Amino acid sequence: MKRKRSCILLWLMAFLFAMSACSEDTFDLSSDVDGVTKAVGSHLCYTDAVYHHMTESWIIPRNDPYTLTNFQSAMDRLLSGKAGVVLSKEERHELSELNPIQPSHLALRVFPKTEKEQWAIELMEDVKVAYIPFNYIPLSDDQVKLGKLYDKSKSFDEEYRYTVTYSGLVVDDEKQPDETITMPVLYVVWPKDKIIPQEYDYLIDYEVFIPDYTKDAGRALHKLEDEAIRLALGEGAKKDSSRSETQMYTGTIMYYDNLLESYEPLSHLKVRFQLGSNIADTYTDSSGSFSVPSIIDDSATWYLVMQHTYWKITSMDSSDPVSVYMGTVGSEWSNSNDIFCGMYSSVGYFAVHPAVDFYYNGNHQLQTASYDSGIRIKVSPESNPDHNATFTHNLFSAAYITVYQNNMGSSNYLMGTVLHELGHFTHFRARSTHLNYSNTHKLIKESYAAYVANYLCDRYYYLLGYVNPVAPQTPHTGNSYQFWEKTGTLKYSPMFVDLFDDYNQNLNNSNYNYDSINGFSHNVMRTIAENCASWSNVKSILDDYIGIYYTQSSYNLYVAPYDYWFDNN
């Protein structure tokens, strides 16, 4: 029978139980296997934990079972009978055909010189990239608290070779101080036969053997992998003798939406399974569900990775995607195919993800130039009295977004916050150059971002079945800006929102714009974004659509307050 359960509560109970049975003074990290010391245990006391500053996580050592030397040792033990595993005649023949084992991959440390180079490596389909060494694993937040790990001076000693300094940064048309980013070390599983580009700065740590069951089917290879894992970790290999590639472990990842008061799926979220240098990635589907073959070993850890082809969500001072450690395969699925249901509150990275996912993958009509490039979204641990989020750009580097904690407790307003900044990103890309975008009038830039956010937010919630019960001037995501007045100085206006929506705010209050226009083309508004830096530029395009999307009289009423505002500001 399949079960649904909350992982957070179960993990906390398990950790409390384990910690109660663990003595901080007597924790043993090793056992003797044929005279060779191997790491063992579940590392529940964490006396060897070190802080990894680049990923902002605590990590503990754990041997990589997939080194070529370890697999060869496992092969030798099996064929000599020292492993205590009975091989059939056919299995012994299969192993003999593989002996000596040839490496399939290399374990590299790559030192990217720029974010562009880092992103290019991360997006290679035939390589896998990790952000902590293959012979370490992270601890969860609960484990860190239970282990009372506070002293970050006990840190992992890593060699960071490059920094990148961005100058000429601009936020909200104001210049910002230079920003220097320390580039990370990438731990890369690189195919043995793939040429490593000469421009890369890298080190080869060791050769790797990762079993390929599509080419080398058979129980013998399973037994070899089990023995290699046992030899490296000192733990009992997976006991399930019915190990099958057809049985699947399944899961569902969701988050809580405050507006809908329900749990909603996190689609296109990367789910990573990793044991040493053996990494397998998958993505959740539109229902937030994923599945992986149960052939994955119980000792493997799994993560939720905030990264997609077109975006990455990072912590404040990192160019690495946030990876949330979820535990081991064995602790969650055991030998069953239970449904895991992750219930998350509408805070942090999990609340930013659905907004950027809908921008790129959602069912809507706002196709933009920015879909061809990626965006880095930084989540700040701080609130900001002046901005819910900011869009940063400069002449020489890709733009990025910073999201502050202001709206983290309200998923619908956070949705609007993120999509508003993605609206700026859309406009920035449409204007082709940094200077074109910088020279565009601020009211036009803010109004275009409001339009992008308003349309996408309404579309997102409409597809989830939400109908706004109140008038649009009190928006559920904060992006229609219907309170704009021609005599005011507020930079946020419904200039582009009014062209598309079907609400006339003037009917309820004569101080606001008269707007009987609706259904204006997304493609034409994109044309405006690409070509217009001033209100006169905008009007020159809008004039061409009189009689198509609106009458002359409706158009005159629409532009009148903006004529007044631009003449007086």
Side-chain angles (χ1 to χ4, degrees), residues 519-536:
F520 196 80
S521 167
H522 294 294
N523 287 333
V524 177
M525 279 193 269
R526 175 180 171 176
T527 299
I528 293 173
E530 290 174 345
N531 296 284
C532 298
S534 66
W535 173 235
S536 61

Side-chain angles (χ1 to χ4, degrees), residues 196-208:
I196 304 174
Q198 292 183 349
E199 63 268 22
Y200 286 0
D201 184 0
Y202 67 92
L203 296 173
I204 299 176
D205 284 333
Y206 49 82
E207 295 178 311
V208 170

Side-chain angles (χ1 to χ4, degrees), residues 53-104:
H53 287 275
M54 190 60 68
T55 59
E56 300 180 5
S57 63
W58 287 88
I59 59 177
I60 54 176
R62 188 183 194 185
N63 291 342
D64 181 358
Y66 293 88
T67 66
L68 182 67
T69 54
N70 185 64
F71 252 86
Q72 188 61 57
S73 295
M75 173 73 81
D76 295 342
R77 285 171 54 80
L78 284 173
L79 293 178
S80 67
K82 291 183 179 180
V85 176
V86 177
L87 298 175
S88 68
K89 181 178 179 180
E90 291 77 10
E91 290 170 341
R92 183 172 293 276
H93 176 72
E94 289 177 20
L95 292 182
S96 298
E97 289 290 307
L98 290 174
N99 193 32
I101 299 176
Q102 300 301 310
S104 60

Side-chain angles (χ1 to χ4, degrees), residues 439-477:
N439 292 332
T440 301
H441 196 284
K442 182 182 291 188
L443 188 75
I444 295 174
K445 288 190 287 192
E446 292 297 342
S447 298
Y448 190 81
Y451 148 70
V452 171
N454 183 263
Y455 167 67
L456 291 179
C457 286
D458 280 355
R459 182 67 179 164
Y460 175 80
Y461 281 107
Y462 170 79
L463 293 172
L464 292 177
Y466 177 81
V467 177
N468 191 356
V470 295
Q473 72 264 31
T474 54
H476 53 281
T477 58

Side-chain angles (χ1 to χ4, degrees), residues 5-20:
R5 52 193 175 180
S6 172
C7 65
I8 298 174
L9 179 59
L10 288 176
W11 286 340
L12 184 58
M13 292 172 62
F15 293 152
L16 287 171
F17 175 80
M19 290 299 292
S20 68

